[in-house]
Amino acid sequence: MKDITAYIKKTLADIYSPEEIHNFIRLLFSTVCGLSYHRQILCKDKKIPENEKKQIFSITEKLKMQEPIQYILGETEFYSLPINVNPSVLIPRPETEELVDLIIKSPFLKIHPENSPLKILDIGTGSGCIAIALAKHVPYAEISATDISEPALQTAQVNAFINKTGIRFFQSDILDTDSAVTCIEGDFDMIISNPPYIKNSERETMYPNVLNFEPHHALFVSDEDPLLFYRAIADFAQKKLVSGGRIFFEINPRCDRLITGMLLDKGFTEIEIIRDLSGKNRFAFAGKMKVQ
């Protein structure tokens, strides 16, 4: 273990911070060798079998090329749930966990009668992490999810099975509003989305492990029309949200005022912009006007 640890530190020293390398070491010994962190501390002289050593060395070389550890291992954790990931889906971010947490604690859920199914749609579901977390923590909800990507939907379906959740999946292009309205069955009390929102001009601020490995179609939008997906989802929501229903977005903090203005123009009310834990305006919530 000491020799392998030294090798990982030396190989990755110029690429990652000491804290990141420490986390990699802890994760590799846990995932590949089945050693808990407690045993890693107590058994530093433990001899690692040759096949496990080769696997760790192979993973370390991939990390050297800045391939995300989540893709290498094929899994991650989201809201304490196991989620399979691959290059067809984004790796879930902590901010998206914050979004789920805000939704679960939303007053809207508290006023909804528990004897009546709460119908929720996740648009651009990717790995399915948002839909699955809500299905696990809002037991009276009926969850649907949609994505344009067939490989992403296949991954989401596997994750729904692993986590024992019953979710309806639809393949649709939300930018084709009329088609999406027809394809996605039913009306909804809540619509949630974490759509592509990073401007192309912001690419230069991104790390290579994101730019070189994660799906660009799920990340980027043009600078000329940064609200492309939000506008389409708002139009869809006006047709598919019930009276008094809610929409929940994860957003680009640089577009918070644009989002607010667009939602107002589309007739939404009770618009809230909420900061994430780092203090950035990361979430936009709004309601569909109640029909009297």
Side-chain angles (χ1 to χ4, degrees):
M1 279 187 68
K2 283 182 180 178
D3 291 344
I4 293 172
T5 297
Y7 168 80
I8 296 171
K9 288 181 177 179
K10 181 179 178 180
T11 303
L12 304 181
D14 295 332
I15 306 168
Y16 300 97
S17 69
E19 183 182 3
E20 287 176 301
I21 294 171
H22 173 76
N23 288 335
F24 288 149
I25 292 168
R26 178 176 176 177
L27 185 58
L28 290 180
F29 282 127
S30 171
T31 305
V32 176
C33 308
L35 296 172
S36 67
Y37 187 51
H38 180 69
R39 288 184 64 201
Q40 290 177 35
I41 294 172
L42 296 179
C43 307
K44 291 183 179 180
D45 291 321
K46 176 179 173 62
K47 184 172 176 60
I48 302 300
E50 191 65 24
N51 64 319
E52 293 178 357
K53 186 167 111 175
K54 287 180 179 178
Q55 191 176 348
I56 290 174
F57 284 0
S58 174
I59 292 172
T60 303
E61 287 302 310
K62 291 180 179 180
L63 288 170
K64 185 179 178 181
M65 301 303 293
Q66 301 193 53
E67 182 173 348
I69 185 70
Q70 297 91 338
Y71 286 161
I72 297 171
L73 300 178
E75 61 184 23
T76 189
E77 188 177 273
F78 180 84
Y79 215 75
S80 300
L81 298 169
I83 298 290
N84 285 1
V85 291
N86 55 61
S88 72
V89 300
L90 291 180
I91 297 165
R93 267 56 172 188
E95 293 86 358
T96 309
E97 287 186 307
E98 290 183 52
L99 173 64
V100 168
D101 196 58
L102 286 167
I103 293 168
I104 290 172
K105 296 173 181 176
S106 166
F108 183 68
L109 264 65
K110 295 177 181 178
I111 64 173
H112 188 87
E114 292 194 14
N115 59 352
S116 173
L118 180 70
K119 296 181 180 180
I120 300 174
L121 174 65
D122 175 27
I123 295 177
T125 194
S127 66
C129 59
I130 292 175
I132 290 164
L134 292 175
K136 296 294 283 188
H137 291 275
V138 189
Y140 54 93
E142 291 181 0
I143 312 288
S144 300
T146 184
D147 204 288
I148 193 173
S149 165
E150 185 174 349
L153 285 172
Q154 290 172 350
T155 302
Q157 287 168 338
V158 169
N159 285 326
F161 176 79
I162 290 170
N163 285 284
K164 300 179 181 178
T165 55
I167 296 170
R168 295 190 310 164
F169 289 99
F170 300 94
Q171 186 175 9
S172 69
D173 179 2
I174 199 63
L175 296 181
D176 185 348
T177 304
D178 291 338
S179 175
V181 167
T182 302
C183 172
I184 301 170
E185 300 169 1
D187 293 329
F188 300 95
D189 300 291
M190 295 170 55
I191 290 177
I192 300 153
S193 187
N194 175 23
Y197 63 65
I198 301 171
K199 297 179 184 179
N200 281 323
S201 60
E202 297 177 76
R203 286 175 186 247
E204 60 189 34
T205 67
M206 309 291 288
Y207 290 110
N209 62 326
V210 175
L211 280 178
N212 297 338
F213 294 96
E214 298 202 55
H216 286 199
H217 69 270
L219 287 168
F220 298 109
V221 288
S222 71
D223 286 61
E224 291 74 27
D225 193 6
L227 302 191
L228 174 66
F229 288 92
Y230 295 100
R231 192 169 55 252
I233 294 166
D235 288 339
F236 174 89
Q238 284 292 9
K239 297 181 179 181
K240 299 290 275 186
L241 267 182
V242 300
S243 172
R246 294 289 188 275
I247 193 167
F248 297 82
F249 284 140
E250 183 174 329
I251 67 170
N252 186 332
R254 299 180 182 185
C255 296
D256 54 348
R257 293 184 181 179
L258 291 175
I259 291 280
T260 299
M262 182 274 293
L263 289 170
L264 283 170
D265 289 344
K266 298 287 185 183
F268 286 89
T269 61
E270 302 176 64
I271 299 167
E272 293 181 83
I273 300 294
I274 299 174
R275 293 180 179 179
D276 62 19
L277 292 178
S278 66
K280 295 180 180 178
N281 288 342
R282 183 70 62 182
F283 313 107
F285 298 170
K288 183 178 178 182
M289 191 175 297
K290 288 185 179 181
V291 176
Q292 299 298 327

